[in-house]
């Protein structure tokens, strides 16, 4: 299989795996040089890490932000980020639970 | 851990280093959750079922008191609510919905409609756009073990399984694949013209985000479409995608575009 076919197959696989359906319109047949760039799944490991995403199962307890900070530290990276926190879902209940259970004042239940 | 604080777990895509540039693109994608709702009185499960049904479709929500967004009523779509299990006053549901739908609000509102009150007890995200609860979902311990196996034993296979290529995070977007000769120009921030395109997906819409890929499938940049797919296909020349976030480093591909 040629490099272009491999590239297209890779993209089609990740798209289908993510449950999205897409069809192509081909404008022109073209080739790609093996001298530049690399198939995304063949990046050398350091490059793979620096261009990588982890589908992480967030544990209960720490916030999304804390989890990202741990990952960043574990890998010794300058940057890491997440694709949307799970916290908006809990913010208000923390606020209300603090009140209804008589846990001090609003600010202390939320600090 | 604060008492009364619900457990929240599940799909949290974490981007490493460069991948951080594009990870925000999954924020506005479709979500799926599994939630435990605790009712405040005994329930009639048939009634619960019909109330769940009632929430499928457009709903109106006001963001929580403490939130980072403007507290105006927003319209969100619930695509489906499936009742998975129930016991005593607890009900387990699976909810597919738009980004920005508050599950905690939904649980509360379901309780209101039933007239007995309810709250969200536990929440697990099972999908955010291209990321799902499948064989790619890994726990913190697995990440830590994979990193150890690589660093201490020089075996990178485990780590490769744990880390997905950045392209996974843009799998939901419409795509164009471009010629080798156009890659470095786009990597320098140039907009994309028709002659540089080899193929494109049919779902490109004017004004929407498009992933610009090399023929090997590498992410080069994200751009905004100036035309839809069929318009692009009928054009011979002209700028069709405005580059707004360059991903690939300059100089990975040769600068053929500079030749006079």
């Amino acid at each position: 299989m040629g490099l272009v076919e491999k590239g297209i197959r890779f993209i089609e696989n990740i798209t289908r795996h993510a449950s999205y359906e897409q069809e192509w319109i081909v404008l022109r047949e073209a080739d790609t040089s093996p001298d530049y760039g690399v198939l995304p799944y063949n990046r050398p490991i350091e490059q793979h890490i620096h261009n990588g995403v982890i589908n992480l199962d967030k544990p209960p307890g720490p916030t999304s932000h804390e989890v990202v900070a741990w990952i960043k530290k574990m890998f010794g990276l300058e940057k890491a980020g997440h694709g949307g926190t799970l916290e908006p879902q809990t913010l208000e209940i923390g606020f209300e639970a603090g009140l209804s259970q008589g846990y001090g004042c609003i600010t202390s239940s939320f600090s | 851990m604060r008492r009364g604080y619900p457990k929240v777990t599940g799909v949290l895509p974490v981007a490493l280093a460069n991948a951080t540039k594009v990870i925000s693109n999954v924020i506005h994608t479709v979500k799926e959750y599994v939630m435990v709702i605790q009712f405040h009185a005994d329930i009639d499960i048939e009634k619960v079922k019909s109330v769940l049904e009632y929430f499928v479709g457009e709903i109106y929500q006001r963001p929580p008191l403490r939130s980072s967004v403007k507290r105006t009523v927003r319209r969100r779509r619930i695509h489906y609510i499936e009742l998975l299990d129930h016991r005593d006053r607890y009900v387990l549901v699976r909810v597919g919905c738009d980004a920005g739908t508050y599950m905690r609000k939904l649980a509360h509102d379901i309780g209101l409609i039933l007239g007995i009150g309810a709250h969200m007890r536990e929440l697990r995200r099972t999908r955010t756009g291209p990321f799902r609860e499948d064989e790619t979902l890994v726990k913190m311990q697995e990440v830590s073990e994979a990193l150890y196996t690589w660093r201490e034993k020089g075996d990178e296979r485990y780590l490769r399984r744990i880390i997905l290529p950045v392209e996974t995070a843009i799998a939901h977007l419409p795509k164009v694949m471009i010629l080798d000769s156009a890659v470095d120009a786009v990597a320098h921030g140039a907009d994309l013209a028709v002659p540089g395109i080899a193929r494109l997906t049919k779902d490109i819409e004017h004004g929407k985000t498009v992933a610009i890929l090399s023929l090997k499938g590498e992410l080069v940049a994200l751009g905004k479409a100036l035309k839809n797919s069929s318009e692009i296909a009928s054009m011979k020349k002209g700028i069709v995608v405005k580059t707004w976030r360059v991903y690939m480093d300059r100089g990975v591909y040769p600068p053929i575009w500079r030749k006079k």
Side-chain angles (χ1 to χ4, degrees), chain A residues 24-45:
Chain A
W24 294 106
I25 302 174
V26 180
L27 295 191
R28 50 187 68 79
E29 294 298 339
D31 216 346
T32 183
S33 166
D35 301 337
Y36 319 109
V38 62
L39 289 165
Y41 52 88
N42 282 344
R43 289 181 178 120
I45 189 69

Side-chain angles (χ1 to χ4, degrees), chain B residues 95-151:
Chain B
V95 183
C97 58
D98 285 346
T101 313
Y102 293 98
M103 288 301 104
R104 185 230 164 278
K105 280 271 187 215
L106 180 66
H108 179 83
D109 292 347
I110 289 170
L112 279 185
I113 299 287
L114 268 170
I116 54 176
H119 67 274
M120 179 175 89
R121 182 63 187 264
E122 244 179 77
L123 185 72
R124 179 165 178 78
R125 183 157 69 190
T126 52
R127 178 177 189 189
T128 173
F131 298 95
R132 311 161 67 90
E133 188 173 39
D134 56 23
E135 76 287 348
T136 65
L137 188 70
V138 293
K139 298 204 185 311
M140 288 290 284
Q141 300 95 292
E142 295 177 79
V143 177
S144 157
E145 279 168 30
L147 201 51
Y148 176 85
T149 312
W150 173 54
R151 281 186 179 148

